[in-house]
Each structure stands twice: as C-alpha cells, then as structure tokens.
Amino acid sequence: MSNGDIFVGETIGTAILILFGAGVCAAVTLRYSKARASGWVVIAFGWGFAVLAGAYTAAPLSGGHLNPAVTLGIAVDTGVWGKVWVYLLGQMLGAMIGAVLAYLVYLAQFQANVRQTGTTEGTAEEPTPTLGIFSTIPEIRNPVANLITEIIATIALVLPILAFGLTKGLGESGTLVLIVSLLVVGIGLSLGGPTGYAINPARDLGPRIVHTFLPIPNKGTSDWGYAWIPVVGPLIGGVLAGLLYNVAF
C-alpha cells in the first residue's frame, strides 16, 4: 500500500467512523432529536455500525485500521514501523472531519441548545452538555481507575483483532470487519460504562479539538484536564496487546 492510499483510506474511513459514532451520540443526547434518550444499547450498536461502515470503506486502500492503538499493536507485532505516521495522520484528520460532519447533520439541534431565561412560563430547561457527543467523559473521575479501564478495554479490542488474523476464513470471506464491529459492540456493552470506552486516541482527541472550536451555544467545557487519559490509555493498551500477541501466538 502506498503512503497516499493509506492516508486517503484512513482519512475517509475514520471520518465515516466518527460521523456515525458522534452522530448516534448526538441522536441520543440532543433535546430535539427523534432518538433522544434511547439509551446506551443504541449508542453501543451505533458505534459498532460506525466501525463496520468506516473499516469496510477504508479496507481496500489502507486495511482499515481507523485507530492508532490498532496501528501500534500491528506495528509491535510485525516490527514494521515505517508507515505508522501515515496511518496516524490520516486517522487524526479523518476524526476531525467526521466530527464536523456530525455537527452539520445536527446543526439545527445544536443551535437550539440555548439557555432561555426570564420566560413567563417559569424556569427553562438547562442547555444540554455537548462534549459527550464528541468525546468521552468518565462517570467517576479517578485518573488511575479511568486509565486502567481504557488500557484493559483497548487490549480487549486489539488482541482479538490480531488473533482474528490467524483465521484465514474470516479474511477470505470478507467477514473480518463484521466480526470486529460486533467486538466493538460487545466492548461498549460490557466495558464502556466507566469511561465511555474511547479505546481509540484519534476518536477522542480529534473530535475534542473540533468541539473546542465549534460555535455551539452553551456547549460547556471541552475538559482538557481529562483528555490525556483516552489518548494514553489506548496507546498503552495497543502496545501491550501487540506484545502479548507476540508472546502467546
């Protein structure tokens, strides 16, 4: 694969990933969405379908990593590092593009996120916090516990992905991406409760940057004090998964 193909594939695939993923979070979160308050199961499956769409789209060009943790895990396993930077650049750019596209899809809903005061009807509803649409927020803010959660959840993603490669039939039948998508749904349902399961540095950091600059009324903080955990945790998890795979398989 050429550097150009990898960059284009990862940019497009990650943009689709975040468009679907941030899109389902917006659908469940924003006040005037038809899917409002439909719950965690919807979010978990929405992110699984996001992986499905993004990875199948990118696969012919780049292999469809869409995740720096996956790229690092593969590099640790294979010892091939020369193209890692191309993957990471494409993933970060794609994540930012996808976040902007999700914002545009729900533009009217974001613009309606306005605090109304002094109404004759009484106290108006509080604006909906928007960071959780773009990036992860822990339910209990404990840096050590949050970091451990992200490391373990990312190992639970990357190690099976590496092991799936040993099953020839998955790759030949074209169902490997489908299985990985179901794996992401499972991680969301089982391991996503504590931190929102970033398990992907680009998925969290790119949209967080976009959230900082988007003109969303009453959007609240972008929580940069927490932002290192969904970056560092998945990177550590990806490296550990690659090392474990090398030792065990």
Side-chain angles (χ1 to χ4, degrees):
M1 298 175 183
S2 70
N3 286 350
D5 284 346
I6 291 170
F7 181 75
V8 171
E10 291 297 296
T11 299
I12 293 174
T14 309
I16 292 172
L17 168 73
I18 302 303
L19 171 60
F20 278 51
V24 72
C25 290
V28 171
T29 303
L30 290 172
R31 186 176 305 156
Y32 298 107
S33 165
K34 292 182 181 297
R36 188 186 182 198
S38 50
W40 187 250
V41 173
V42 170
I43 289 176
F45 273 94
W47 275 104
F49 292 136
V51 172
L52 185 76
Y56 267 128
T57 302
L61 290 173
S62 66
H65 295 189
L66 314 186
N67 183 342
V70 171
T71 300
L72 283 183
I74 293 172
V76 168
D77 172 44
T78 62
V80 179
W81 292 86
K83 296 183 183 293
V84 167
W85 67 273
V86 185
Y87 278 94
L88 301 189
L89 284 177
Q91 290 156 3
M92 277 299 299
L93 177 60
M96 295 174 72
I97 292 172
V100 172
L101 293 175
Y103 165 73
L104 292 175
V105 169
Y106 285 89
L107 180 61
Q109 283 71 27
F110 280 114
Q111 289 178 337
N113 191 47
V114 179
R115 187 194 305 274
Q116 299 177 3
T117 57
T119 61
T120 57
E121 293 80 8
T123 304
E125 272 191 82
E126 288 292 312
T128 302
T130 58
L131 177 60
I133 294 170
F134 296 90
S135 299
T136 58
I137 303 169
E139 283 298 298
I140 298 174
R141 191 170 294 265
N142 181 319
V144 173
N146 301 151
L147 186 65
I148 290 171
T149 296
E150 286 294 332
I151 291 171
I152 293 173
T154 306
I155 292 172
L157 170 70
V158 178
L159 184 59
I161 287 176
L162 294 174
F164 292 161
L166 297 176
T167 305
K168 274 188 175 183
L170 289 178
E172 292 172 354
S173 66
T175 56
L176 178 58
V177 172
L178 174 60
I179 300 303
V180 172
S181 302
L182 293 174
L183 171 64
V184 171
V185 173
I187 291 172
L189 294 175
S190 299
L191 308 178
T195 62
Y197 72 117
I199 59 175
N200 181 339
R203 166 264 179 277
D204 196 276
L205 180 58
R208 196 181 298 267
I209 292 171
V210 169
H211 179 265
T212 300
F213 293 102
L214 283 175
I216 301 171
N218 298 302
K219 66 182 177 181
T221 176
S222 297
D223 197 6
W224 284 102
Y226 178 76
W228 67 276
I229 290 176
V231 173
V232 173
L235 291 178
I236 293 173
V239 170
L240 291 177
L243 292 172
L244 181 57
Y245 179 80
N246 256 333
V247 170
F249 294 88

